[in-house]
């Protein structure tokens, strides 16, 4: 049973395109997150949703738009992709904002 | 703001050697502290945690003690195996409790 799943695992696209990454958790958690891991493995929070409500938005360009249709899903849509958006994007979830469980990551490559 | 500093790698060890990865933090209030591990090509897995001062987290032979006086949470393992080769991240969850602040990660390579 996959606890936190993401699709796709790999995404290769050209500059200027729009793409989405999907995340689903079956843990019954109430909070979901998006993190970005750069080429040097540095991890940084992007967004957090609690019960479908946005609670953290960490100075991310507005080309990035998260959407949470329900508590179990948090999708990330990226408009007008740039080279600097190339990274691994991790979804995570937690219950009552305690320890977080991570998905396997989506490696985005922008050419 | 909150921050986490951990030793840079890579750390290269022989099997059965002792491993220590230093981690110090800066935070307001009383954060919870975590170690996550990332095996090659995989996502992050929670390795251990501690929620208050003097707590010791332990799992799979790894240990870390929450030291408030030195604002540290150093990771240790007495005898490493090749399968412990991975990147280890120290992290804290601050008073707001809603996000993890990570250190830069430490790559560990264990050779047979």
């Amino acid at each position: 049973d996959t606890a936190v799943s993401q699709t796709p695992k790999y995404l290769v696209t050209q500059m200027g395109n729009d793409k989405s990454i999907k995340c689903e958790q079956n843990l019954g958690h109430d909070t979901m997150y998006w993190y970005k891991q750069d080429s040097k493995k540095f991890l940084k929070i992007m967004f957090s949703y609690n019960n479908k409500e946005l609670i953290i938005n960490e100075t991310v360009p507005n080309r990035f738009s998260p959407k949470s249709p329900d508590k179990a899903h948090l999708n990330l849509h990226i408009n007008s992709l740039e080279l600097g958006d190339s990274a691994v994007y991790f979804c995570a979830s937690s219950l009552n904002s305690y320890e977080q469980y991570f998905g396997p990551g989506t490696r985005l490559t922008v050419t | 703001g909150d921050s986490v500093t951990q030793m840079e790698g890579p750390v290269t060890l022989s099997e059965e050697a002792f491993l220590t990865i230093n981690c110090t933090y800066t935070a307001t209030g009383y954060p919870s502290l975590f170690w996550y591990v990332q095996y090659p090509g995989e996502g992050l897995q929670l390795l251990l945690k501690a929620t208050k001062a003097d707590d010791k987290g332990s799992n799979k032979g790894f240990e870390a003690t929450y030291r408030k006086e030195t604002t540290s949470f150093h990771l240790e393992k007495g005898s490493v195996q090749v399968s412990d080769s991975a990147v280890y991240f120290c992290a804290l969850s601050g008073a707001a409790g809603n996000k993890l602040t990570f250190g830069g990660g430490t790559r560990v390579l264990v050779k047979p």
Side-chain angles (χ1 to χ4, degrees):
Chain A
D1 290 343
T2 304
V4 183
S5 59
Q6 297 179 227
T7 54
K9 189 169 174 62
Y10 300 97
L11 184 53
V12 181
T13 188
Q14 292 184 326
M15 285 174 52
N17 285 348
D18 302 338
K19 291 293 179 184
S20 292
I21 306 171
K22 297 187 175 183
C23 177
E24 176 180 3
Q25 54 93 5
N26 61 6
L27 298 167
H29 289 171
D30 57 1
T31 308
M32 296 184 73
Y33 311 78
W34 279 110
Y35 289 85
K36 180 180 179 180
Q37 185 176 45
D38 64 22
S39 59
K40 295 184 179 178
K41 297 288 188 183
F42 187 71
L43 275 154
K44 189 169 168 56
I45 183 84
M46 300 174 68
F47 300 104
S48 172
Y49 269 76
N50 179 267
N51 287 318
K52 302 196 299 176
E53 184 179 340
L54 179 67
I55 52 174
I56 293 177
N57 183 343
E58 290 275 315
T59 60
V60 177
N62 57 16
R63 298 182 296 104
F64 290 78
S65 52
K67 289 223 171 27
S68 182
D70 54 59
K71 279 198 324 181
H73 295 85
L74 179 61
N75 303 323
L76 183 64
H77 188 75
I78 315 170
N79 289 329
S80 304
L81 278 155
E82 300 177 357
L83 291 176
D85 298 331
S86 295
V88 181
Y89 292 84
F90 286 102
C91 177
S93 71
S94 69
L95 183 63
N96 300 326
S97 303
Y98 194 47
E99 60 198 61
Q100 295 180 23
Y101 293 83
F102 283 76
T106 296
R107 181 175 295 277
L108 171 65
T109 303
V110 182
T111 61
Chain B
D2 296 346
S3 67
V4 176
T5 302
Q6 60 182 106
M7 58 191 289
E8 288 192 28
V11 174
T12 303
L13 302 163
S14 298
E15 255 190 325
E16 301 183 4
F18 185 86
L19 170 67
T20 299
I21 304 176
N22 290 338
C23 171
T24 57
Y25 67 89
T26 302
T28 53
Y30 302 96
S32 295
L33 301 174
F34 305 87
W35 277 100
Y36 281 84
V37 58
Q38 185 177 28
Y39 297 104
E42 297 185 13
L44 282 84
Q45 298 176 27
L46 178 64
L47 183 58
L48 53 84
K49 64 182 186 287
T51 58
K52 60 183 187 299
D54 300 325
D55 269 2
K56 178 187 279 189
S58 60
N59 186 28
K60 298 182 181 179
F62 290 89
E63 293 183 339
T65 301
Y66 189 143
R67 301 283 188 205
K68 189 168 180 294
E69 63 277 10
T70 54
T71 61
S72 64
F73 193 53
H74 305 322
L75 182 69
E76 297 181 338
K77 185 174 185 182
S79 177
V80 294
Q81 305 300 313
V82 172
S83 57
D84 293 324
S85 298
V87 180
Y88 293 81
F89 292 92
C90 185
L92 69 81
S93 179
N98 269 338
K99 67 175 185 180
L100 286 171
T101 299
F102 285 91
T106 302
R107 184 179 300 276
V108 172
L109 177 61
V110 181
K111 296 187 173 180

